[in-house]
Amino acid sequence: MVEQYYTTQLSAGLGLREETKGLFELWQPGMNTQQLCDVALESGSFPNVTARRLRNIVAECFFPRYLRNEGVAQQVKELLPILSTSEMSQVFYLYTARANFILAEFVKDVYWQKYASGYQSIHVDDSKAFVELGLQDGKMKKSWSDTTIKRVSSYILGCLVDYGFLEVHNRSERRLIPPRISDHIAVYLAYELHFSGLGDNAVINHPDWQLFGLNPDDVREELKALAVNRHWIIQAAGDVVQISWAYKNMEEVINVVA
């Protein structure tokens, strides 16, 4: 497994929901980042974004989230027109967390732990302490200054505000408003993991589910509930799970979600 490090990449853009949606409307299969930048600049769809800023969004945000792995952008582009606003946010959140290890770790180790412990909010100092701990544990390739630590701490919280996981309460606190993973996104994620080559138990135990606060037991129950809609047949005996998958490819999955 490739070792992952915390980076400052969130400084290039947080949730970027509307910008991402706009870029997907323009992106076509085969486009690289430069071509997408050129099309976006010529389109007039981003009148309040400078050319430099738009290039930064495409190269530092859109590319690592959706173009680094083959097939992702095409799937998301086909999915977006049929999703609700909240479901769209969950898809963007999933790929942003995958591309930003620091965000994924914060959600798993701090956000959901706070929620499970009965807290109603997260303090900005919680985020700062998390980043500082990461520095102590060697999760950055090089040391970060206090200013960088403070900025990245705020970016993490800001990103979760953008995706509807937090609400600004006051200057120092963000209220927890954890969304439940939608049925459509659960089906999409399960099949995406399945078609990536994972076995049934590996799908159930994949860390991506933790981004939505689900442990393996939760995932099993979620998939059992969704089996009623004939997305799959699931049999579980103890920790061993066997799934008979109903769809042959992601195109079929997206058609069913629609």
Side-chain angles (χ1 to χ4, degrees):
M1 185 175 179
V2 178
E3 190 169 7
Q4 293 181 284
Y5 292 96
Y6 292 174
T7 72
T8 61
Q9 198 166 53
L10 280 176
S11 63
L14 305 181
L16 297 172
R17 291 187 305 173
E18 292 306 313
E19 293 88 343
T20 301
K21 184 180 177 182
L23 287 170
F24 267 116
E25 290 172 355
L26 299 170
W27 178 82
Q28 296 297 326
M31 274 189 186
N32 59 30
T33 54
Q34 185 57 56
Q35 290 168 329
L36 180 56
C37 279
D38 294 341
V39 169
L41 287 170
E42 293 170 4
S43 71
S45 300
F46 302 89
N48 299 319
V49 181
T50 66
R52 180 178 179 180
R53 173 65 179 145
L54 187 56
R55 289 191 180 93
N56 200 38
I57 289 173
V58 173
E60 298 298 325
C61 300
F62 194 86
F63 173 80
R65 296 176 191 182
Y66 309 103
L67 295 178
R68 184 164 285 164
N69 295 308
E70 187 176 354
V72 168
Q74 182 63 40
Q75 289 172 191
V76 176
K77 184 179 176 70
E78 293 174 3
L79 198 61
L80 290 185
I82 58 180
L83 295 181
S84 67
T85 300
S86 62
E87 289 172 333
M88 180 184 73
S89 289
Q90 290 188 14
V91 169
F92 290 168
Y93 161 72
L94 170 65
Y95 287 107
T96 301
R98 283 181 177 176
N100 292 273
F101 184 49
I102 192 170
L103 176 64
E105 290 279 282
F106 179 82
V107 172
K108 297 171 189 176
D109 296 344
V110 180
Y111 182 92
W112 288 112
Q113 292 299 321
K114 285 278 187 181
Y115 177 70
S117 298
Y119 287 85
Q120 294 185 332
S121 63
I122 286 180
H123 198 280
V124 293
D125 288 343
D126 295 323
S127 181
K128 186 170 181 287
F130 163 79
V131 177
E132 290 173 337
L133 182 61
L135 186 60
Q136 294 173 21
D137 290 345
K139 292 188 176 181
M140 290 78 159
K141 285 188 174 181
K142 61 181 181 179
S143 184
W144 288 3
S145 68
D146 289 342
T147 301
T148 299
I149 290 172
K150 185 177 180 180
R151 284 193 296 110
V152 175
S153 300
S154 69
Y155 297 152
I156 293 170
L157 298 182
C159 198
L160 292 175
V161 170
D162 285 351
Y163 290 136
F165 280 69
L166 292 173
E167 184 179 72
V168 177
H169 181 48
N170 56 45
R171 191 172 180 180
S172 61
E173 286 184 302
R174 305 293 180 267
R175 192 185 303 279
L176 293 164
I177 48 172
R180 180 191 178 281
I181 188 172
S182 84
D183 290 351
H184 286 159
I185 304 309
V187 171
Y188 175 85
L189 176 55
Y191 268 99
E192 194 209 43
L193 296 173
H194 166 64
F195 287 127
S196 73
L198 295 179
D200 297 344
N201 284 285
V203 169
I204 297 289
N205 289 278
H206 197 277
D208 276 358
W209 296 106
Q210 297 174 37
L211 297 171
F212 297 94
L214 303 176
N215 63 36
D217 288 338
D218 298 327
V219 178
R220 274 192 290 272
E221 293 307 310
E222 189 80 21
L223 298 195
K224 285 179 183 178
L226 290 168
V228 173
N229 296 321
R230 299 183 180 181
H231 297 305
W232 43 63
I233 298 172
I234 180 170
Q235 296 174 306
D239 292 333
V240 179
V241 174
Q242 184 174 2
I243 303 174
S244 298
W245 302 90
Y247 313 127
K248 297 178 181 179
N249 51 53
M250 288 304 293
E251 184 177 355
E252 287 189 16
V253 175
I254 292 169
N255 287 337
V256 168
V257 169

